[in-house]
Amino acid sequence: MKAETFLPDDYRPAEDEPFMNERQLEYFRRKLLTWRNELLSDSRDTITGMKDSTRNIPDIADRASEETDRALELRTRDRQRKLVSKIDAALRRIEEGEYGYCEITGEPISLKRLDARPIATMSLEAQERHERREKVHRDD
C-alpha cells in the first residue's frame, strides 16, 4: 500500500510540471472517485424513490405519464451504470500507470481534456479521427 499523496484543495494540474506525476495522478484519482460516488448515490436514491412511489394510479393518462418518467429515469441510470464502468477502467489505468496516455497513439492526452473528461482514453486528435471514421462507416 503506497502512502497517500498530499494534495492541496486548490491544486490543479499544470503543463509546467512532469506529466502524470504523483500529484496529477492523485488529483485525477480523487476526481474519478468523487464522480463515481455521486453516480452511485444518485442510483441508490432512484431505487429508493421507485420503491416508495410504486402505487396504483387509476387515471390512464397519469399512469402513462408516470411510466414514461420511470422509463426515462431507468434509461438515465443505465447510462450512468455504463459511466461507472468507464470510471472503474480509468481508475485501473491509474493503478497500472497507463492513465493519461492515448490508447491509439501512446501520446499524452492534454490535461485540459482529462480535466473536462477524466475517462478519456484518446487524445483529441485520435478521438476526432475515430469519430470521422465512425461517421463514414455509419453513412454506408
Side-chain angles (χ1 to χ4, degrees):
M1 186 95 192
K2 69 177 193 172
E4 190 170 328
T5 304
F6 172 74
L7 204 60
D9 291 337
D10 62 345
Y11 175 78
R12 291 283 179 266
E15 299 288 340
D16 63 350
E17 60 184 322
F19 188 71
M20 288 301 127
N21 62 50
E22 283 186 23
R23 288 171 54 148
Q24 287 181 355
L25 288 171
E26 182 63 16
Y27 171 82
F28 287 113
R29 188 181 75 76
R30 289 182 188 183
K31 185 172 188 140
L32 287 160
L33 286 172
T34 299
W35 191 13
R36 183 180 190 278
N37 290 336
E38 288 170 1
L39 292 171
L40 292 175
S41 175
D42 288 349
S43 289
R44 282 189 294 274
D45 293 346
T46 296
I47 291 168
T48 303
M50 288 185 143
K51 284 180 183 175
D52 293 344
S53 71
T54 301
R55 57 193 175 162
N56 188 10
I57 302 172
D59 183 62
I60 293 173
D62 289 344
R63 190 177 324 148
S65 178
E66 184 161 306
E67 288 300 319
T68 301
D69 291 347
R70 283 185 133 176
L72 182 61
E73 186 70 27
L74 289 172
R75 201 165 45 238
T76 300
R77 292 299 158 233
D78 187 51
R79 290 179 72 173
Q80 289 181 341
R81 179 187 55 80
K82 292 174 184 173
L83 191 52
V84 167
S85 68
K86 288 181 180 184
I87 292 170
D88 289 340
L91 289 167
R92 272 192 303 281
R93 286 193 307 277
I94 287 174
E95 293 302 317
E96 295 166 359
E98 299 170 1
Y99 184 80
Y101 295 91
C102 179
E103 65 183 9
I104 305 297
T105 65
E107 304 265 323
I109 299 172
S110 77
L111 291 173
K112 286 181 181 177
R113 176 163 169 74
L114 287 171
D115 206 25
R117 184 141 180 93
I119 59 172
T121 58
M122 290 185 250
S123 66
L124 188 58
E125 297 78 19
Q127 182 71 40
E128 287 172 344
R129 279 193 306 274
H130 173 75
E131 288 174 4
R132 275 195 301 275
R133 260 193 318 275
E134 204 173 68
K135 184 176 188 273
V136 166
H137 293 297
R138 193 175 39 222
D139 290 343
D140 289 345

